[in-house]
Amino acid sequence: MPKKGLILTVLAAAVLLAANALAESRVLTFDGDGWGTGVWGAYNTTIRMEPSGGNPGACVRFHGIGGLGGSFANQGVTGDLAAAGFTRLSMDIKAVQWFLRPDNTRPKGFFFIRNDSGAAPWVKAIPLFAPTTAAYKTCFANFNPAWTDAQARANGWTAMPFPGTIGTVSFAETLRRVAQTGFWVQDLSAGAECSVLVDNWTLGTRAAMAPMKKDMKMDPKRRIQPFPGVPNKQ
C-alpha cells in the first residue's frame, strides 16, 4: 500500500475509534468496590449501599424527610461532558417508602449539573416523575453541550441559585467543567420519611439503543459538599 494511503487508513481508523469512544455510555452500577456518592439538599438525606435490590445487582438507597437528594462526583461522570459527546443524563429509580402530600398527586423530581467553580447549578425538572414500589423506572434529561443559555432554557434547563452558590456560569461552560451531577425529590408529605433505590446513573447519548453497562470504581476522595439548603417550592 502506498505510504499516503496507509496514512489515510490510519487516520480513518483513528477517527472511527474516537467516534466509538464518544458514543460509549458511562454508567455507575455501584457493583464495584468503593463508592463516592453524596447527599444533597435540606431533607436530612442519608445514603446506604445496598448489595442487592438494584437493576440488577447493587444500588444506592437514599432516605430523607419530606424529600431527598443525591449527588455523584466521581471522575467518571464529571469533567468535560462536551468533549465526551454526552447528550443525556439518566438513572433507574424505584420507590421504597413513599408518602404524598394530601394536596399533591405527584412529587417533583429534578436533575442538576454543577460546574466546578461553585456557581449555581443548571437544573431540569424530570417529566412525568412518578417512582413506584413495583418496579424500577428510567428517568432521563437531554441536553446539548453547545446550547446557548437561551437554548438551554428553551429546552427546560435553568440556572438555579441556592444558598452557598457563587454567581452563575453559562450552560456551555458548565458542561465543559462538570464537578457534580445529581438529583433531588421534593413536595412529599412534610415530616414524612421517604426512601428510593437508585441504580445505573448514566451519562450517554440520545441514540435509541441500550447503553453498555460499565462498572466504574467510585472514588470517595472526589466528594462535593451539598448545598446548605434547597427550597421546598420552585
Side-chain angles (χ1 to χ4, degrees):
M1 178 184 295
K3 184 176 182 180
K4 182 177 180 180
L6 177 61
I7 292 174
L8 290 177
T9 301
V10 171
L11 288 176
V15 171
L16 179 61
L17 288 174
N20 288 339
L22 292 178
E24 182 181 345
S25 297
R26 294 180 183 173
V27 186
L28 302 181
T29 64
F30 312 107
D31 292 310
D33 296 329
W35 55 302
T37 60
V39 299
W40 192 87
Y43 301 114
N44 297 313
T45 304
T46 59
I47 55 176
R48 186 174 71 196
M49 187 70 177
E50 300 285 358
S52 60
N55 193 33
C59 60
V60 181
R61 179 170 178 155
F62 293 89
H63 183 87
I65 307 296
L68 51 86
S71 68
F72 305 88
N74 178 267
Q75 62 183 358
V77 290
T78 58
D80 191 340
L81 304 194
F86 295 129
T87 57
R88 173 171 287 185
L89 178 62
S90 68
M91 67 175 171
D92 295 343
I93 186 170
K94 180 181 179 181
V96 177
Q97 189 174 1
W98 206 243
F99 295 99
L100 296 176
R101 286 171 25 186
D103 62 343
N104 182 47
T105 59
R106 177 172 289 159
K108 294 184 178 69
F110 300 86
F111 282 115
F112 72 85
I113 301 176
R114 188 182 181 191
N115 182 273
D116 63 10
S117 67
W122 282 84
V123 174
K124 183 174 183 177
I126 301 172
L128 302 176
F129 182 75
T132 70
T133 59
Y136 274 92
K137 289 187 175 182
T138 299
C139 299
F140 67 89
N142 293 327
F143 57 86
N144 185 335
W147 277 340
T148 64
D149 289 359
Q151 290 171 323
R153 287 191 289 268
N155 284 275
W157 290 88
T158 183
M160 186 177 293
F162 289 103
T165 59
I166 305 171
T168 60
V169 295
S170 70
F171 186 80
E173 179 64 16
T174 296
L175 270 291
R176 285 194 295 268
R177 294 167 47 199
V178 173
Q180 182 184 29
T181 60
F183 77 100
W184 85 86
V185 180
Q186 67 181 47
D187 283 358
L188 298 173
S189 294
E193 297 186 12
C194 54
S195 299
V196 298
L197 302 178
V198 171
D199 199 4
N200 300 322
W201 186 263
T202 302
L203 281 169
T205 67
R206 305 183 197 189
M209 63 178 67
M212 181 178 72
K213 302 300 184 184
K214 179 180 179 181
D215 288 353
M216 300 184 63
K217 190 172 182 178
M218 306 287 276
D219 183 358
K221 296 180 180 179
R222 283 184 56 86
R223 294 195 178 191
I224 304 295
Q225 291 299 316
F227 303 124
V230 175
N232 290 327
K233 298 282 187 180
Q234 304 303 328

